[in-house]
């Protein structure tokens, strides 16, 4: 029962949120579930100096190469990933999910998903395999699952309105909990959209991972 983890770079402001990524890996590892990290082989939208919060002019970084930092080098190009090989998929947050995996950070409800990411995510959805979206990454759900998909990013009103403009059904959710769309086998949790520290992020992520793995177990019994 191997699962996929889709990363979007390395660093909260321009890539995958490191705490969320590692907490997801830790929860899976503690449950005895092997995972494969993957990311698109594309340039980042931009590079942010995480000390100053400013864009670093003239610097380019690759999403797959940067994601390899978190994955300790054990990562593949999502373009080469076969959905048949995975029982579920996990999308940690960080602005990379909204800048590199999609362009939600720039275009809001008019956003599109990076083609290789969209192809893999839609293949998992078509196979009715469970998916867990964390933090800001649930903004991609309406583009993948269509109208009325239930999800949460916490309670940020502007983001929730953009999600609903895309056809999603946003549900307010506290940091330690998660929202389930049972019909689509979707789990989402706010993590650092609300978390004030790593312990709060961990509580919701661990619960969401457990719920996602329970869906796999249920599927295996049917």
């Amino acid at each position: 029962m191997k699962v996929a983890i889709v990363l979007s770079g390395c660093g909260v402001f321009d890539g995958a949120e490191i705490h969320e990524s590692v907490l997801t890996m830790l929860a899976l590892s503690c449950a005895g579930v092997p995972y494969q990290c993957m990311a698109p082989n594309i340039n980042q939208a931009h590079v942010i100096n995480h000390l100053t919060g400013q864009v670093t002019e003239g610097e380019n970084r690759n999403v797959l190469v940067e994601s390899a930092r978190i994955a300790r080098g054990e990562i593949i190009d999502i373009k080469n990933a076969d959905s048949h090989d995975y029982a579920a998929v996990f999308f940690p947050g960080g602005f990379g999910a909204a800048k590199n995996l999609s362009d939600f950070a720039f275009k809001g409800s008019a956003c599109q998903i990076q083609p290789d990411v969209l192809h893999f995510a839609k293949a998992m959805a078509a196979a009715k395999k469970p998916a867990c979206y964390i933090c800001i990454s649930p903004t991609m759900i309406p583009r993948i699952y269509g109208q009325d998909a239930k999800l949460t990013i916490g309670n940020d009103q502007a983001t929730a309105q953009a999600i609903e403009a895309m056809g999603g059904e946003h549900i307010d959710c506290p940091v330690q909990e998660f929202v389930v769309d049972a019909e689509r086998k979707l789990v989402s949790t706010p993590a650092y959209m609300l978390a004030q520290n790593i312990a709060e992020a961990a509580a919701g992520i661990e619960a969401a991972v457990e719920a996602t793995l329970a869906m796999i177990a249920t599927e295996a019994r049917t």
Side-chain angles (χ1 to χ4, degrees):
M1 185 181 66
K2 183 164 62 174
V3 302
I5 301 176
V6 182
L7 300 177
S8 59
C10 182
V12 58
F13 298 128
D14 58 11
E17 212 294 320
I18 297 172
H19 294 178
E20 292 174 357
S21 302
V22 173
L23 287 168
T24 300
M25 295 174 189
L26 179 61
L28 289 168
S29 196
C30 287
V33 177
Y35 57 81
Q36 174 65 64
C37 292
M38 57 188 67
N41 186 10
I42 58 173
N43 285 336
Q44 292 183 186
H46 55 208
V47 178
I48 300 289
N49 180 324
H50 280 58
L51 185 62
T52 65
Q54 301 300 309
V55 174
T56 303
E57 298 295 343
E59 184 175 358
N60 295 308
R61 295 194 183 189
N62 178 279
V63 174
L64 180 60
V65 172
E66 291 300 296
S67 297
R69 294 175 180 272
I70 299 176
R72 295 173 60 88
E74 296 294 326
I75 194 166
I76 63 171
D77 184 343
I78 195 171
K79 187 175 183 177
N80 299 324
D82 187 337
S83 62
H84 293 93
D85 295 337
Y86 305 99
V89 60
F90 294 79
F91 285 87
F95 277 107
K99 293 179 177 179
N100 303 325
L101 303 188
S102 76
D103 55 8
F104 180 83
F106 308 114
K107 296 184 179 179
S109 61
C111 71
Q112 298 296 322
I113 299 177
Q114 196 276 335
D116 297 330
V117 175
L118 182 62
H119 177 79
F120 181 78
K122 274 189 166 290
M124 295 293 285
K128 299 189 181 303
K129 295 185 177 183
C132 180
Y133 288 76
I134 298 165
C135 190
I136 193 66
S137 71
T139 55
M140 296 188 289
I141 287 175
R143 289 287 183 256
I144 297 164
Y145 292 86
Q147 295 289 313
D148 302 322
K150 298 177 177 64
L151 62 115
T152 191
I153 47 79
N155 59 18
D156 183 77
Q157 186 175 4
T159 307
Q161 287 174 346
I163 287 168
E164 297 197 338
M166 289 189 283
E169 180 183 341
H170 182 266
I171 299 169
D172 284 0
C173 178
V175 65
Q176 72 275 17
E177 297 181 13
F178 55 88
V179 165
V180 172
D181 184 325
E183 178 184 351
R184 296 170 178 83
K185 297 184 180 176
L186 278 172
V187 179
S188 53
T189 190
Y192 275 109
M193 289 294 288
L194 289 178
Q196 298 300 304
N197 55 57
I198 193 171
E200 289 186 359
I205 289 171
E206 289 167 4
V209 169
E210 182 179 355
T212 307
L213 296 181
M215 289 181 177
I216 300 173
T218 299
E219 181 69 18
R221 290 195 296 268
T222 58

